[in-house]
Amino acid sequence: MQTIKVKTKSRPSTVYCGEGAVKKLEELLDGKDIFVVTDTNVYRLYEDFIRSTFPHSPVFAVPAGERHKTPHTLFSILDQMLQARLRRNCWLVALGGGVVGDMGGLAASLYMRGIPAVQVPTTLLAQVDSSVGGKTAVDYRGVKNVIGAFYQPEYVFCDPMFLKTLPAREIRCGLGEIVKTGALEGTIFDQLEKNADRLADFAFLEEITAACVRFKAGIVEKDECERSGLRKCLNMGHTTGHALELFYGRRSHGEYVLIGMFFESCIAERIGICAADYARRLRTLIGRVVKKLPRFENIGEAARTALYDKKNEKKNEVSLILPRSQGAYAEAKLSIEEYIGLIEDINGGNL
Ligand code: NAD
Ligand code: GLY
Protein backbone atom coordinates (compact mmCIF):
# COMPACT_ATOMS: atom_id res chain seq x y z
CA MET A 1 0.00 0.00 0.00
CA GLN A 2 1.24 3.50 -0.84
CA THR A 3 0.60 6.62 1.20
CA ILE A 4 0.23 9.80 -0.83
CA LYS A 5 -0.06 13.22 0.78
CA VAL A 6 -2.05 15.94 -0.94
CA LYS A 7 -0.68 19.11 0.63
CA THR A 8 -3.53 21.49 -0.16
CA LYS A 9 -3.77 24.86 1.58
CA SER A 10 -7.36 24.54 2.81
CA ARG A 11 -6.77 21.12 4.38
CA PRO A 12 -4.20 18.42 3.57
CA SER A 13 -5.50 14.95 2.68
CA THR A 14 -3.86 11.57 2.95
CA VAL A 15 -4.58 8.94 0.32
CA TYR A 16 -3.96 5.26 1.09
CA CYS A 17 -3.69 3.38 -2.15
CA GLY A 18 -3.50 -0.39 -2.55
CA GLU A 19 -4.30 -3.63 -0.79
CA GLY A 20 -4.85 -3.03 2.92
CA ALA A 21 -6.29 0.49 2.57
CA VAL A 22 -9.52 -0.67 4.15
CA LYS A 23 -7.64 -2.01 7.22
CA LYS A 24 -6.07 1.43 7.56
CA LEU A 25 -9.56 2.96 7.44
CA GLU A 26 -10.67 0.77 10.36
CA GLU A 27 -7.62 1.87 12.33
CA LEU A 28 -7.93 5.61 11.60
CA LEU A 29 -11.69 5.93 12.04
CA ASP A 30 -11.90 3.81 15.17
CA GLY A 31 -13.94 5.53 17.87
CA LYS A 32 -15.28 8.31 15.63
CA ASP A 33 -18.92 9.20 15.10
CA ILE A 34 -19.58 8.24 11.51
CA PHE A 35 -22.38 8.76 8.99
CA VAL A 36 -22.09 6.58 5.90
CA VAL A 37 -23.42 7.59 2.49
CA THR A 38 -23.45 4.96 -0.21
CA ASP A 39 -25.68 3.99 -3.13
CA THR A 40 -28.19 1.17 -3.47
CA ASN A 41 -25.94 -0.99 -5.70
CA VAL A 42 -22.91 -0.68 -3.46
CA TYR A 43 -25.04 -1.29 -0.37
CA ARG A 44 -26.44 -4.49 -1.89
CA LEU A 45 -22.92 -5.76 -2.66
CA TYR A 46 -21.15 -4.56 0.48
CA GLU A 47 -23.85 -4.59 3.18
CA ASP A 48 -21.91 -7.07 5.36
CA PHE A 49 -18.69 -5.10 4.98
CA ILE A 50 -20.43 -1.79 5.79
CA ARG A 51 -22.30 -3.20 8.78
CA SER A 52 -19.20 -4.85 10.24
CA THR A 53 -16.89 -1.88 9.62
CA PHE A 54 -19.35 0.74 10.91
CA PRO A 55 -21.50 -1.27 13.34
CA HIS A 56 -22.98 1.71 15.22
CA SER A 57 -23.27 4.19 12.37
CA PRO A 58 -26.30 5.35 10.42
CA VAL A 59 -26.03 4.32 6.76
CA PHE A 60 -27.91 6.06 3.97
CA ALA A 61 -28.05 4.56 0.46
CA VAL A 62 -29.03 6.99 -2.29
CA PRO A 63 -30.42 5.69 -5.59
CA ALA A 64 -27.51 4.73 -7.88
CA GLY A 65 -26.58 6.57 -11.05
CA GLU A 66 -25.72 9.95 -12.52
CA ARG A 67 -29.38 10.90 -12.99
CA HIS A 68 -29.69 11.00 -9.21
CA LYS A 69 -26.73 13.37 -8.81
CA THR A 70 -29.15 16.20 -8.10
CA PRO A 71 -29.96 18.85 -5.49
CA HIS A 72 -32.94 16.65 -4.54
CA THR A 73 -30.70 13.70 -3.60
CA LEU A 74 -28.21 16.03 -1.92
CA PHE A 75 -30.97 17.38 0.29
CA SER A 76 -32.18 13.86 1.07
CA ILE A 77 -28.67 13.16 2.43
CA LEU A 78 -28.71 16.35 4.51
CA ASP A 79 -32.18 15.44 5.73
CA GLN A 80 -30.96 12.04 6.94
CA MET A 81 -27.98 13.67 8.64
CA LEU A 82 -30.28 16.04 10.50
CA GLN A 83 -32.67 13.26 11.45
CA ALA A 84 -29.74 11.26 12.82
CA ARG A 85 -28.92 14.37 14.90
CA LEU A 86 -25.33 14.42 13.78
CA ARG A 87 -23.13 16.89 15.54
CA ARG A 88 -20.23 18.85 14.19
CA ASN A 89 -17.69 16.29 15.31
CA CYS A 90 -19.30 13.58 13.17
CA TRP A 91 -17.41 12.34 10.08
CA LEU A 92 -19.12 11.63 6.78
CA VAL A 93 -17.85 8.57 4.91
CA ALA A 94 -18.74 8.54 1.20
CA LEU A 95 -18.45 4.90 0.14
CA GLY A 96 -19.17 4.40 -3.54
CA GLY A 97 -18.35 5.62 -7.01
CA GLY A 98 -17.81 9.18 -8.16
CA VAL A 99 -21.50 10.07 -7.86
CA VAL A 100 -21.62 9.16 -4.17
CA GLY A 101 -18.21 10.76 -3.60
CA ASP A 102 -19.17 14.06 -5.24
CA MET A 103 -22.55 14.30 -3.47
CA GLY A 104 -21.32 12.97 -0.12
CA GLY A 105 -18.41 15.42 -0.18
CA LEU A 106 -20.78 18.30 -0.93
CA ALA A 107 -23.13 17.24 1.89
CA ALA A 108 -20.14 17.17 4.29
CA SER A 109 -19.14 20.67 3.18
CA LEU A 110 -22.65 22.02 3.83
CA TYR A 111 -23.78 20.27 7.01
CA MET A 112 -23.25 22.69 9.91
CA ARG A 113 -20.91 24.59 7.54
CA GLY A 114 -18.59 21.61 7.23
CA ILE A 115 -17.81 18.32 8.91
CA PRO A 116 -14.82 16.06 8.13
CA ALA A 117 -15.22 13.97 4.98
CA VAL A 118 -13.67 10.62 4.10
CA GLN A 119 -13.72 9.11 0.62
CA VAL A 120 -13.87 5.35 0.14
CA PRO A 121 -13.98 5.08 -3.67
CA THR A 122 -15.39 1.77 -4.92
CA THR A 123 -15.08 2.29 -8.69
CA LEU A 124 -11.86 2.48 -10.65
CA LEU A 125 -12.82 5.95 -11.89
CA ALA A 126 -13.34 7.20 -8.36
CA GLN A 127 -10.05 5.66 -7.19
CA VAL A 128 -7.91 7.16 -9.94
CA ASP A 129 -9.61 10.53 -10.07
CA SER A 130 -12.78 11.77 -8.43
CA SER A 131 -12.07 10.86 -4.79
CA VAL A 132 -8.86 12.92 -4.79
CA GLY A 133 -8.64 16.70 -4.98
CA GLY A 134 -11.78 17.90 -3.23
CA LYS A 135 -14.11 18.69 -6.12
CA THR A 136 -17.67 18.02 -4.97
CA ALA A 137 -20.87 18.75 -6.88
CA VAL A 138 -24.31 17.93 -8.16
CA ASP A 139 -25.72 18.48 -11.65
CA TYR A 140 -28.53 20.98 -12.17
CA ARG A 141 -30.79 21.84 -15.11
CA GLY A 142 -28.77 19.73 -17.50
CA VAL A 143 -25.42 21.24 -16.55
CA LYS A 144 -22.86 18.91 -15.05
CA ASN A 145 -21.36 19.69 -11.66
CA VAL A 146 -22.66 23.25 -11.76
CA ILE A 147 -23.47 23.42 -8.04
CA GLY A 148 -20.56 22.41 -5.87
CA ALA A 149 -17.63 23.27 -3.66
CA PHE A 150 -13.94 22.58 -3.27
CA TYR A 151 -13.81 20.59 -0.06
CA GLN A 152 -10.83 18.38 0.71
CA PRO A 153 -11.40 15.02 2.39
CA GLU A 154 -9.33 14.15 5.46
CA TYR A 155 -8.59 10.70 4.08
CA VAL A 156 -9.09 8.70 0.90
CA PHE A 157 -8.88 4.91 1.00
CA CYS A 158 -8.43 3.34 -2.46
CA ASP A 159 -8.63 -0.40 -1.86
CA PRO A 160 -8.49 -2.68 -4.94
CA MET A 161 -10.77 -5.20 -3.17
CA PHE A 162 -13.76 -3.16 -4.38
CA LEU A 163 -12.80 -3.56 -8.02
CA LYS A 164 -13.54 -7.32 -7.93
CA THR A 165 -17.29 -6.70 -8.20
CA LEU A 166 -17.06 -3.98 -10.86
CA PRO A 167 -18.61 -4.83 -14.23
CA ALA A 168 -16.17 -4.69 -17.18
CA ARG A 169 -17.91 -1.57 -18.42
CA GLU A 170 -17.09 0.31 -15.21
CA ILE A 171 -13.44 -0.79 -15.52
CA ARG A 172 -13.47 0.79 -19.00
CA CYS A 173 -14.87 4.00 -17.49
CA GLY A 174 -11.99 4.16 -15.03
CA LEU A 175 -9.57 3.50 -17.88
CA GLY A 176 -11.02 6.63 -19.50
CA GLU A 177 -9.62 8.84 -16.75
CA ILE A 178 -6.40 6.78 -16.70
CA VAL A 179 -5.83 7.35 -20.43
CA LYS A 180 -6.57 11.05 -19.85
CA THR A 181 -3.89 11.12 -17.16
CA GLY A 182 -1.51 9.35 -19.53
CA ALA A 183 -2.12 12.09 -22.09
CA LEU A 184 -0.94 14.61 -19.50
CA GLU A 185 2.00 12.74 -18.02
CA GLY A 186 4.63 11.15 -20.25
CA THR A 187 5.74 8.34 -17.92
CA ILE A 188 2.18 7.19 -17.38
CA PHE A 189 1.67 7.27 -21.16
CA ASP A 190 4.71 4.99 -21.60
CA GLN A 191 3.39 2.64 -18.92
CA LEU A 192 0.03 2.46 -20.70
CA GLU A 193 1.55 1.79 -24.12
CA LYS A 194 3.87 -0.84 -22.68
CA ASN A 195 1.00 -2.60 -20.91
CA ALA A 196 -1.61 -2.11 -23.62
CA ASP A 197 -2.48 -5.84 -23.52
CA ARG A 198 -3.10 -5.92 -19.79
CA LEU A 199 -4.82 -2.61 -19.10
CA ALA A 200 -7.63 -4.32 -17.19
CA ASP A 201 -5.39 -6.66 -15.12
CA PHE A 202 -5.81 -6.02 -11.42
CA ALA A 203 -2.06 -5.98 -10.73
CA PHE A 204 -1.55 -3.33 -13.40
CA LEU A 205 -4.55 -1.32 -12.20
CA GLU A 206 -3.20 -1.22 -8.65
CA GLU A 207 0.14 0.10 -9.91
CA ILE A 208 -1.35 2.68 -12.27
CA THR A 209 -3.92 3.90 -9.72
CA ALA A 210 -1.17 5.04 -7.37
CA ALA A 211 0.67 6.74 -10.27
CA CYS A 212 -2.49 8.61 -11.32
CA VAL A 213 -3.24 9.69 -7.75
CA ARG A 214 0.32 10.94 -7.30
CA PHE A 215 0.11 12.95 -10.52
CA LYS A 216 -3.27 14.44 -9.59
CA ALA A 217 -2.05 15.28 -6.08
CA GLY A 218 0.82 17.29 -7.58
CA ILE A 219 -1.55 19.33 -9.75
CA VAL A 220 -4.12 19.91 -7.02
CA GLU A 221 -1.46 21.07 -4.55
CA LYS A 222 -0.41 23.79 -6.99
CA ASP A 223 -3.90 24.94 -8.03
CA GLU A 224 -6.41 23.65 -5.50
CA CYS A 225 -9.38 25.77 -6.61
CA GLU A 226 -8.58 25.99 -10.32
CA ARG A 227 -7.58 29.62 -10.10
CA SER A 228 -4.17 29.70 -11.81
CA GLY A 229 -5.40 27.58 -14.69
CA LEU A 230 -3.11 24.60 -14.06
CA ARG A 231 -5.84 22.29 -12.71
CA LYS A 232 -7.85 22.82 -15.89
CA CYS A 233 -5.53 20.30 -17.57
CA LEU A 234 -7.33 17.51 -15.67
CA ASN A 235 -10.29 18.36 -17.87
CA MET A 236 -8.75 17.08 -21.10
CA GLY A 237 -11.48 15.37 -23.15
CA HIS A 238 -14.12 16.67 -20.75
CA THR A 239 -15.43 19.69 -22.70
CA THR A 240 -16.73 17.42 -25.43
CA GLY A 241 -17.27 14.48 -23.05
CA HIS A 242 -19.53 16.48 -20.71
CA ALA A 243 -21.49 18.02 -23.60
CA LEU A 244 -22.24 14.59 -25.09
CA GLU A 245 -22.88 13.02 -21.67
CA LEU A 246 -25.58 15.49 -20.76
CA PHE A 247 -27.15 15.58 -24.21
CA TYR A 248 -27.29 11.85 -24.89
CA GLY A 249 -27.10 10.18 -21.44
CA ARG A 250 -27.03 6.34 -21.66
CA ARG A 251 -23.27 5.88 -21.38
CA SER A 252 -21.38 6.87 -18.26
CA HIS A 253 -18.90 9.62 -17.48
CA GLY A 254 -15.70 7.63 -18.12
CA GLU A 255 -16.92 6.40 -21.50
CA TYR A 256 -17.73 9.96 -22.52
CA VAL A 257 -14.27 11.08 -21.39
CA LEU A 258 -12.77 8.53 -23.79
CA ILE A 259 -15.09 9.64 -26.59
CA GLY A 260 -14.26 13.27 -25.76
CA MET A 261 -10.54 12.42 -25.90
CA PHE A 262 -11.06 10.93 -29.36
CA PHE A 263 -12.79 14.06 -30.68
CA GLU A 264 -10.34 16.41 -29.01
CA SER A 265 -7.24 14.55 -30.25
CA CYS A 266 -8.65 14.88 -33.79
CA ILE A 267 -9.33 18.60 -33.22
CA ALA A 268 -5.78 19.08 -31.88
CA GLU A 269 -4.38 17.44 -35.00
CA ARG A 270 -6.61 19.40 -37.39
CA ILE A 271 -5.88 22.81 -35.91
CA GLY A 272 -2.17 22.07 -35.87
CA ILE A 273 -1.61 21.80 -32.12
CA CYS A 274 -0.66 18.13 -32.11
CA ALA A 275 1.49 16.14 -34.53
CA ALA A 276 -0.40 13.40 -36.40
CA ASP A 277 1.87 10.66 -35.08
CA TYR A 278 1.25 11.40 -31.40
CA ALA A 279 -2.49 11.99 -31.93
CA ARG A 280 -2.63 8.54 -33.59
CA ARG A 281 -0.77 6.88 -30.67
CA LEU A 282 -3.29 8.42 -28.32
CA ARG A 283 -6.21 7.15 -30.37
CA THR A 284 -4.64 3.68 -30.51
CA LEU A 285 -4.62 3.68 -26.72
CA ILE A 286 -8.26 4.83 -26.64
CA GLY A 287 -9.00 1.97 -29.05
CA ARG A 288 -7.58 -0.51 -26.53
CA VAL A 289 -10.40 0.47 -24.19
CA VAL A 290 -13.35 1.21 -26.51
CA LYS A 291 -13.42 -0.98 -29.57
CA LYS A 292 -15.86 1.06 -31.64
CA LEU A 293 -17.12 4.61 -31.53
CA PRO A 294 -20.77 5.44 -32.14
CA ARG A 295 -21.93 7.88 -34.80
CA PHE A 296 -24.00 10.47 -32.96
CA GLU A 297 -27.26 11.92 -34.36
CA ASN A 298 -27.67 15.71 -34.11
CA ILE A 299 -24.16 16.08 -32.81
CA GLY A 300 -24.08 19.79 -33.66
CA GLU A 301 -26.87 20.41 -31.18
CA ALA A 302 -25.09 18.33 -28.53
CA ALA A 303 -21.80 20.16 -29.17
CA ARG A 304 -23.53 23.51 -28.63
CA THR A 305 -24.06 22.59 -24.96
CA ALA A 306 -20.26 22.87 -24.54
CA LEU A 307 -21.00 26.58 -24.16
CA TYR A 308 -21.98 25.76 -20.54
CA ASP A 309 -18.51 24.41 -19.76
CA LYS A 310 -17.00 25.97 -16.63
CA LYS A 311 -13.64 26.56 -18.35
CA ASN A 312 -15.14 28.98 -20.90
CA GLU A 313 -14.39 32.65 -20.44
CA LYS A 314 -16.41 34.18 -23.30
CA LYS A 315 -20.04 33.70 -24.22
CA ASN A 316 -19.54 32.26 -27.71
CA GLU A 317 -16.22 30.53 -27.22
CA VAL A 318 -15.37 27.00 -26.16
CA SER A 319 -12.25 26.23 -24.16
CA LEU A 320 -10.52 22.90 -24.79
CA ILE A 321 -7.50 21.27 -23.18
CA LEU A 322 -5.83 19.55 -26.10
CA PRO A 323 -2.97 17.05 -26.33
CA ARG A 324 0.17 18.60 -27.84
CA SER A 325 2.92 16.00 -27.54
CA GLN A 326 3.80 13.28 -25.05
CA GLY A 327 3.35 14.75 -21.56
CA ALA A 328 2.34 18.17 -22.92
CA TYR A 329 -0.97 19.87 -23.58
CA ALA A 330 -2.27 23.26 -24.72
CA GLU A 331 -5.45 25.21 -24.11
CA ALA A 332 -7.34 26.25 -27.25
CA LYS A 333 -10.27 28.61 -27.48
CA LEU A 334 -12.50 28.08 -30.48
CA SER A 335 -15.57 29.99 -31.58
CA ILE A 336 -18.66 27.86 -31.11
CA GLU A 337 -19.15 27.75 -34.90
CA GLU A 338 -15.64 26.44 -35.51
CA TYR A 339 -15.99 23.90 -32.70
CA ILE A 340 -19.33 22.58 -33.96
CA GLY A 341 -17.98 22.39 -37.52
CA LEU A 342 -15.01 20.29 -36.39
CA ILE A 343 -17.12 18.01 -34.21
CA GLU A 344 -19.60 17.39 -37.06
CA ASP A 345 -16.76 16.62 -39.41
CA ILE A 346 -15.03 14.18 -37.03
CA ASN A 347 -18.28 12.42 -36.00
CA GLY A 348 -18.40 8.84 -37.32
CA GLY A 349 -14.63 8.64 -37.80
CA ASN A 350 -12.62 5.58 -36.85
CA LEU A 351 -10.16 5.15 -34.05
P1 NAD B 1 -20.95 5.96 -10.34
O1 NAD B 1 -20.69 6.50 -9.02
O2 NAD B 1 -22.29 6.19 -10.94
O3 NAD B 1 -20.65 4.40 -10.32
C1 NAD B 1 -20.87 3.63 -11.48
C2 NAD B 1 -21.76 2.41 -11.19
O4 NAD B 1 -21.00 1.44 -10.49
C3 NAD B 1 -22.96 2.73 -10.31
O5 NAD B 1 -24.05 2.00 -10.78
C4 NAD B 1 -22.54 2.21 -8.94
O6 NAD B 1 -23.64 1.84 -8.14
C5 NAD B 1 -21.70 1.02 -9.31
N1 NAD B 1 -20.66 0.62 -8.35
C6 NAD B 1 -19.91 1.41 -7.55
N2 NAD B 1 -18.98 0.67 -6.92
C7 NAD B 1 -19.16 -0.61 -7.31
C8 NAD B 1 -18.49 -1.82 -7.02
N3 NAD B 1 -17.41 -1.88 -6.22
N4 NAD B 1 -18.93 -2.96 -7.61
C9 NAD B 1 -20.00 -2.93 -8.47
N5 NAD B 1 -20.66 -1.80 -8.80
C10 NAD B 1 -20.23 -0.65 -8.23
O7 NAD B 1 -19.92 6.50 -11.44
P2 NAD B 1 -18.33 6.69 -11.42
O8 NAD B 1 -17.91 6.33 -12.78
O9 NAD B 1 -17.68 6.04 -10.27
O10 NAD B 1 -18.19 8.26 -11.22
C11 NAD B 1 -18.69 9.17 -12.18
C12 NAD B 1 -18.97 10.48 -11.49
O11 NAD B 1 -17.75 11.01 -10.99
C13 NAD B 1 -19.56 11.54 -12.42
O12 NAD B 1 -20.63 12.16 -11.80
C14 NAD B 1 -18.42 12.53 -12.60
O13 NAD B 1 -18.87 13.83 -12.83
C15 NAD B 1 -17.69 12.40 -11.29
N6 NAD B 1 -16.28 12.80 -11.35
C16 NAD B 1 -15.84 13.68 -10.41
C17 NAD B 1 -14.51 14.06 -10.40
C18 NAD B 1 -14.02 14.95 -9.30
O14 NAD B 1 -12.88 15.41 -9.39
N7 NAD B 1 -14.78 15.17 -8.26
C19 NAD B 1 -13.62 13.54 -11.34
C20 NAD B 1 -14.10 12.63 -12.30
C21 NAD B 1 -15.44 12.27 -12.28
N1 GLY C 1 -11.38 15.73 -12.45
C1 GLY C 1 -11.00 17.10 -12.63
C2 GLY C 1 -10.43 17.72 -11.42
O1 GLY C 1 -10.36 17.12 -10.37
O2 GLY C 1 -10.02 18.84 -11.49
Side-chain angles (χ1 to χ4, degrees):
M1 184 177 68
Q2 298 193 37
T3 305
I4 301 165
K5 297 271 182 194
V6 191
K7 297 185 205 101
T8 29
K9 287 199 190 81
S10 67
R11 176 185 308 105
S13 309
T14 309
V15 186
Y16 295 95
C17 228
E19 220 173 296
V22 144
K23 277 265 153 297
K24 194 75 190 169
L25 170 155
E26 289 172 14
E27 182 192 316
L28 289 170
L29 299 190
D30 187 37
K32 299 209 185 312
D33 258 351
I34 305 278
F35 179 81
V36 181
V37 181
T38 185
D39 75 23
T40 43
N41 291 339
V42 177
Y43 188 70
R44 189 170 32 81
L45 291 164
Y46 291 97
E47 181 177 358
D48 291 348
F49 166 80
I50 293 171
R51 291 293 173 197
S52 64
T53 310
F54 308 104
H56 310 295
S57 306
V59 178
F60 183 51
V62 298
E66 182 76 28
R67 70 192 176 88
H68 297 289
K69 192 179 167 185
T70 58
H72 176 78
T73 313
L74 170 72
F75 274 87
S76 73
I77 299 172
L78 292 166
D79 193 53
Q80 292 292 316
M81 292 167 81
L82 198 57
Q83 282 194 42
R85 302 213 180 146
L86 303 187
R87 293 180 310 271
R88 251 203 182 129
N89 60 355
C90 178
W91 290 46
L92 184 146
V93 172
L95 191 147
V99 169
V100 164
D102 280 12
M103 274 194 300
L106 186 54
S109 80
L110 292 170
Y111 190 74
M112 295 195 174
R113 300 199 180 93
I115 63 170
V118 171
Q119 295 281 346
V120 187
T122 61
T123 61
L124 179 62
L125 182 141
Q127 296 198 356
V128 297
D129 193 344
S130 64
S131 61
V132 177
K135 274 192 180 175
T136 72
V138 290
D139 306 333
Y140 185 57
R141 287 193 182 273
V143 185
K144 251 191 92 71
N145 299 331
V146 73
I147 298 175
F150 289 97
Y151 194 70
Q152 299 299 335
E154 305 283 334
Y155 300 116
V156 182
F157 301 96
C158 300
D159 198 309
M161 78 163 203
F162 293 112
L163 305 186
K164 291 184 189 139
T165 53
L166 265 191
R169 183 174 182 185
E170 296 303 334
I171 297 282
R172 282 200 296 278
C173 291
L175 284 167
E177 298 284 7
I178 293 174
V179 169
K180 173 205 80 181
T181 310
L184 296 167
E185 211 277 332
T187 321
I188 294 180
F189 190 80
D190 281 338
Q191 258 174 297
L192 291 173
E193 277 195 330
K194 228 179 273 157
N195 292 282
D197 291 331
R198 55 185 286 261
L199 291 182
D201 284 10
F202 280 179
F204 177 68
L205 290 177
E206 189 169 341
E207 181 187 320
I208 204 78
T209 296
C212 290
V213 168
R214 223 174 263 290
F215 172 74
K216 183 165 182 180
I219 299 281
V220 171
E221 281 174 1
K222 293 191 195 95
D223 184 19
E224 182 180 358
C225 299
E226 219 164 289
R227 297 274 186 260
S228 76
L230 177 69
R231 187 168 178 168
K232 274 200 237 175
C233 73
L234 300 176
N235 242 250
M236 186 183 281
H238 284 58
T239 306
T240 307
H242 278 168
L244 302 185
E245 178 178 355
L246 277 165
F247 191 82
Y248 296 107
R250 292 195 304 271
R251 284 164 234 280
S252 44
H253 178 77
E255 288 174 284
Y256 278 115
V257 169
L258 280 165
I259 294 170
M261 293 278 301
F262 164 76
F263 276 99
E264 294 182 11
S265 72
C266 295
I267 292 177
E269 189 181 336
R270 288 186 188 202
I271 67 174
I273 281 187
C274 183
D277 175 51
Y278 177 64
R280 233 173 276 127
R281 278 168 71 199
L282 201 49
R283 289 197 289 273
T284 303
L285 210 46
I286 296 170
R288 289 291 183 157
V289 187
V290 278
K291 298 292 167 242
K292 201 170 169 299
L293 288 174
R295 184 186 175 83
F296 293 95
E297 295 297 324
N298 295 329
I299 196 159
E301 214 182 312
R304 188 168 290 282
T305 64
L307 282 175
Y308 290 109
D309 194 278
K310 291 189 285 306
K311 294 186 294 305
N312 300 339
E313 283 166 9
K314 288 194 188 153
K315 240 182 171 174
N316 285 313
E317 217 175 62
V318 174
S319 162
L320 299 159
I321 307 296
L322 299 177
R324 195 154 61 101
S325 58
Q326 188 168 346
Y329 62 90
E331 183 171 9
K333 291 173 184 173
L334 303 185
S335 72
I336 185 68
E337 289 76 23
E338 187 182 3
Y339 174 68
I340 291 176
L342 284 161
I343 292 283
E344 283 177 336
D345 211 36
I346 294 161
N347 187 28
N350 290 323
L351 277 161

